[in-house]
Amino acid sequence: NVLVGPDYFCLRDEFLYIDRPAEIRTEVQEILITFGGVDESNITLRVLHSIARLCIDRGVHVTIVTGPAYFHFSELEGFLNSNPSLRCTLIKQTKAISDFMNRADLAITSGGRTVFELASLSVPVMVICQNQRETTHTFASDENGVLNLGLCSNITDAEIECNFEFLVSNFKIRSEMSEKMRRLNLRAGKGRVISLIKSLI
């Protein structure tokens, strides 16, 4: 009598009261990079370094959201200062990450709960797993509209850049990813759980 999986994922309220445009933009204008509140391996900077050239060439704006336990600000800000042509906004912490997710045409993140949150807004996602545990999270898969590159230590910077360029250049692929997410109806998860609890009372 155990119920698991995306059907029973309980989104925070901030995701339940936000609208996502029915159609994603043909051209990628805004991307989001977020790897949780710690990001010990500083994948944030690694990703930014890998995709900066393409973002500059295409005029793509990058939003980076970190957390209070992220201790690589000096390195990150140093890279941004040395690349003034890169349009980037750095958010050191936020209480409403859904606002930044909802603006994004594409997101790059780790393999945790953030993937569910982005999927609830139908935002195409490229996942880079921070640790071995995250590689066991089966939701982050093509079936659910997610491009999962696997464990960070097993992929090269060139692979990050190549896959990012593939998504940015393929509106059809991003549309298909977004549509797979819409079909999941993750916003209904909390209601399903509440109904099941009530049925047992």
Side-chain angles (χ1 to χ4, degrees):
N1 296 320
V2 177
L3 299 173
V4 297
D7 285 347
Y8 308 102
F9 181 73
C10 295
L11 285 164
R12 289 176 289 162
D13 287 347
E14 67 173 292
F15 292 94
L16 300 178
Y17 305 109
I18 192 166
D19 292 327
R20 176 68 183 169
E23 300 294 335
I24 62 173
R25 288 188 284 251
T26 305
E27 299 293 330
V28 172
Q29 299 177 22
E30 173 80 29
I31 70 161
L32 172 67
I33 300 174
T34 183
F35 281 88
V38 181
D39 189 13
E40 292 178 354
S41 301
N42 202 9
I43 304 174
T44 296
L45 180 56
R46 182 183 174 193
V47 167
L48 187 62
H49 189 276
S50 300
I51 69 173
R53 177 194 59 81
L54 186 62
C55 289
I56 292 170
D57 291 346
R58 289 178 174 260
V60 175
H61 181 268
V62 181
T63 296
I64 297 172
V65 178
T66 62
Y70 179 76
F71 296 114
H72 306 285
F73 286 118
S74 58
E75 297 171 65
L76 184 56
E77 290 173 336
F79 179 81
L80 293 175
N81 290 334
S82 64
N83 290 273
S85 298
L86 179 63
R87 298 169 55 229
C88 184
T89 301
L90 175 58
I91 308 297
K92 293 188 175 181
Q93 56 181 310
T94 179
K95 293 182 179 179
I97 196 171
S98 58
D99 291 339
F100 301 102
M101 291 181 176
N102 198 44
R103 298 174 197 160
D105 299 298
L106 174 65
I108 305 174
T109 190
S110 52
R113 65 177 293 132
T114 306
V115 181
F116 287 97
E117 294 169 345
L118 286 159
S120 75
L121 298 174
S122 307
V123 179
V125 184
M126 186 168 84
V127 162
I128 299 172
C129 297
Q130 298 189 80
N131 49 56
Q132 193 66 44
R133 176 177 52 81
E134 287 188 355
T135 65
T136 66
H137 297 172
T138 57
F139 179 79
S141 65
D142 175 68
E143 179 185 2
N144 296 315
V146 179
L147 176 59
N148 192 338
L149 302 188
L151 188 62
C152 61
S153 59
N154 292 340
I155 59 175
T156 65
D157 292 352
E159 288 174 315
I160 294 173
E161 180 184 11
C162 182
N163 281 279
F164 176 74
E165 185 169 13
F166 170 73
L167 291 180
V168 169
S169 303
N170 285 274
F171 170 66
K172 183 175 182 292
I173 296 296
R174 286 184 284 107
S175 295
E176 290 173 352
M177 293 168 75
S178 185
E179 180 56 32
K180 288 177 181 178
M181 292 173 172
R182 284 193 185 92
R183 292 178 195 149
L184 295 168
N185 192 19
L186 289 170
R187 298 193 196 194
K190 184 178 288 187
R192 293 188 188 104
V193 171
I194 292 172
S195 295
L196 286 165
I197 292 172
K198 286 182 176 179
S199 71
L200 296 173
I201 298 175

